[in-house]
Amino acid sequence: MSETLGPILSPGVLVLLTAALAVVMMLGWKKRQDRRPQRFFASVVALFALSSIASKPTRTSSPSPGSALLITAGAEQEHIQRVIDGHGPFRETFSMIQKSEGRASGIEDLGSLANRGIGDTLHVVGNGLRAFQWEAYEAPVVFHSAPGPDTGVTRLSWTRQISLGETTEIIGAIRWRRDQQWIALFEFGSLVDSTRLDSADGSFVLRYTPREVGRNDLGIGFGEADAPVILETIGISVIEPNPLSVLVLEGSPTFETRHLKTWLATRGARLAVRSAVSRDRFRTEFMNLAQMNLTDVSREILSQFNVLIIDARSWRELTRQNIVAIEERARAGDLGILLLPDEEFIAAGRATTDLFSGFEFDSFSELNERTVRATWTNSTPLANQPLLTLPYTIRRQPHVRSIVWDEFGAIVVGINKDIAINLSGSTYQWILDGRWSEYASLWSQILTGVAPASGNPRWDVGTSGPVLVGEPTPLRLSNAAGVPDPEVISPAGIPTHLPVTQDPLDPTRWSGVFWPREEGWHRINPGRDDEFWFRVNHESEFEAYRAAASVAATQLRSYSRGADFQGEEKKTREPIPTFWFFLLFCTAAGYLWLEPRLG
């Protein structure tokens, strides 16, 4: 046993005291002299031994050679040697690096160590292991972390499946050098979004709005502003938006509604339009929908739609029963509302309902109308394309999210939950100017925000970050109507049954764990309502992310932080065995008992 002996209370000193006592006893008997000093000395030693047995003293020590050393990815030879010098010797050394040097025994997982007598403590050097790798090991761990890669994404989260026109945020952090200050998002080699790294922890937010349905591979680039290098690739599956059933109520026929209904019809939306031509007369149109009587906006009529687009004049002409029916559907989460206000409504019309009470406005009293350049997420201001709006802006508040804003950041279209207000009624001008893609992107963004969420079953990956080959991937299902029987199809077309368990608190939620064996796009339940695609990356990708996740998991698993990178020796305290004090007491007490009898 490699020990650092305490200055007094150590087995070596106790043995010397016992030997000295024996020598004194022998000399005393041999010379037959006055033995009072020997008796006094023996009495002191006996009392000391008894008090030590009662107080249980401790001593400092280094790790015993019964401890083991585990070398993981990221460990350099100099770092390993510092740990051995400061904490060794170790009984055994293991390595989870494919090309390990020295006498380290290669292992694939910690399960092989569970039943091997490796000692009391496992010292880990390098980046450590992921959380799922620690599940098979229970012994104490001391962690000596490595510095990790110089550059790379260390934290990442995003929504893996979104609807066409919906905007998602890629949120993460990157380890970076001061000479490389830009991070960018690419789609098919074209720049989508970029941001400058200003925070000390390298955190960033990138935004993406898809323009077509499909499975999109997005590259995350990093480096100089004019030439970022793609470091990693993530996948986002884009699906068709939930089928829209739109009811449009307008005070008079407008070009805005005319072009909007044409665009909605081409997307397969169910559409009904009621346009007032006089006080009690209406013109109605229906697309992808059977005709019905829209004179009274009753509960029965509203139950067939999930989006209501209405102007201020039509709102003022609704009966109280109509307004109550709309409020009930909206508060139940079954109806989204897009209002096109006028100055009268902004001034006083909101008093008729509290649906719009969350909106406040700022006025440009010197103007009759405003001309702005519309901007929304991942768009660019439309050059030479004016957009006419009312002489107001929607005031920014924590509960109001901006969908469209002007060049100064003032809100033109804002949304509070599923209730939105649009200050512009002239987006049809973009169609007249041939700007179909901008028109489609804008209205997809607006309607995606307004339409209530679908109640269909939906899968998702139950963890943030990339899905990597050979690592367990939790998959979660929500809104399940019954017992699911899912299967995962690999890129090669090989199906794998996914066992799932039910959430004990929510019977509509289920979850399972999938172990991907190959990289590429995987899908769950193809052809069903809950079809879901997710991308699996190669196990060698996201090196910095894997290193950061391993360090965090190993630090959480370890009971003590190991020596720092310079290799400072780590000392511990351990009790001195009472056997030594008992032996010392027996020797002293034996002398005191025998001395008068042998005298």
Side-chain angles (χ1 to χ4, degrees), residues 7-324:
I8 296 178
L9 300 180
S10 65
V13 173
L14 294 175
V15 170
L16 290 176
L17 285 174
T18 304
L21 179 61
V23 171
V24 171
M25 291 164 56
M26 292 175 62
L27 292 175
W29 280 325
K30 183 176 181 180
K31 296 183 177 180
R32 296 181 177 272
Q33 59 185 4
D34 184 12
R35 302 187 184 99
R36 282 178 295 178
Q38 288 90 333
R39 288 196 297 270
F40 177 78
F41 179 70
S43 300
V44 171
V45 171
L47 290 174
F48 167 75
L50 286 174
S51 63
S52 298
I53 293 174
S55 62
K56 297 180 180 180
T58 61
R59 61 191 174 89
T60 60
S61 69
S62 298
S64 69
S67 300
L69 177 67
L70 176 64
I71 302 172
T72 62
E76 298 180 355
Q77 188 59 40
E78 182 182 0
H79 189 190
I80 298 172
Q81 191 59 49
R82 288 180 184 274
V83 173
I84 294 176
D85 293 342
H87 297 264
F90 298 101
R91 175 184 294 180
E92 291 186 81
T93 300
F94 303 95
S95 175
M96 296 189 70
I97 305 175
Q98 292 182 352
K99 295 182 179 180
S100 58
E101 300 179 0
R103 299 180 179 179
S105 302
I107 59 173
E108 294 184 356
D109 55 61
L110 293 181
S112 58
L113 301 183
N115 297 321
R116 297 178 63 168
I118 64 171
D120 297 331
T121 304
L122 178 65
H123 287 253
V124 180
V125 59
N127 295 328
L129 302 176
R130 301 291 292 276
F132 70 91
Q133 294 174 297
W134 283 113
E135 294 178 356
Y137 191 78
E138 297 180 355
V141 172
V142 176
F143 185 34
H144 312 267
S145 60
D150 293 334
T151 303
V153 176
T154 58
R155 187 178 73 248
L156 197 64
S157 64
W158 73 97
T159 304
R160 302 172 197 271
Q161 181 167 283
I162 61 177
S163 299
L164 181 65
E166 182 181 355
T167 297
T168 186
E169 292 184 339
I170 296 97
I171 303 173
I174 190 168
R175 182 174 292 170
W176 55 294
R177 301 192 303 268
R178 294 299 175 182
D179 59 339
Q180 298 177 330
Q181 299 182 348
W182 285 86
I183 188 163
L185 186 68
F186 294 87
E187 180 183 22
F188 305 121
S190 299
L191 180 64
V192 174
D193 191 19
S194 64
T195 185
R196 185 183 180 88
L197 294 169
D198 294 322
S199 61
D201 62 350
S203 60
F204 63 86
V205 177
L206 297 170
R207 294 177 176 84
Y208 171 67
T209 303
R211 294 180 177 269
E212 59 183 18
V213 173
R215 289 162 296 283
N216 299 335
D217 294 331
L218 305 177
I220 298 178
F222 177 66
E224 300 295 338
D226 56 346
V229 178
I230 294 180
L231 295 178
E232 311 293 356
T233 302
I234 64 173
I236 295 181
S237 173
V238 183
I239 60 176
E240 290 284 356
N242 296 328
L244 292 175
S245 297
V246 182
L247 173 62
V248 179
L249 304 179
E250 59 179 352
S252 61
T254 63
F255 287 106
E256 185 78 344
T257 300
R258 174 183 174 184
H259 291 284
L260 178 61
K261 71 184 181 183
T262 302
W263 178 74
L264 286 171
T266 60
R267 296 187 62 192
R270 300 166 67 242
L271 180 68
V273 179
R274 191 192 77 175
S275 303
V277 294
S278 64
R279 181 174 180 82
D280 297 320
R281 294 179 57 195
F282 303 99
R283 186 181 70 186
T284 57
E285 297 178 81
F286 302 91
M287 296 182 178
N288 304 320
L289 185 68
Q291 294 188 10
M292 62 189 74
N293 186 355
L294 298 179
T295 303
D296 182 32
V297 186
S298 62
R299 290 181 175 84
E300 291 75 20
I301 293 296
L302 291 172
S303 66
Q304 302 184 52
F305 301 94
N306 57 15
V307 173
L308 171 64
I309 301 177
I310 185 171
D311 61 16
R313 177 180 171 183
S314 298
W315 185 271
R316 286 191 291 269
E317 294 177 353
L318 292 174
T319 66
R320 185 56 194 168
Q321 289 182 336
N322 296 154
I323 293 177
V324 169

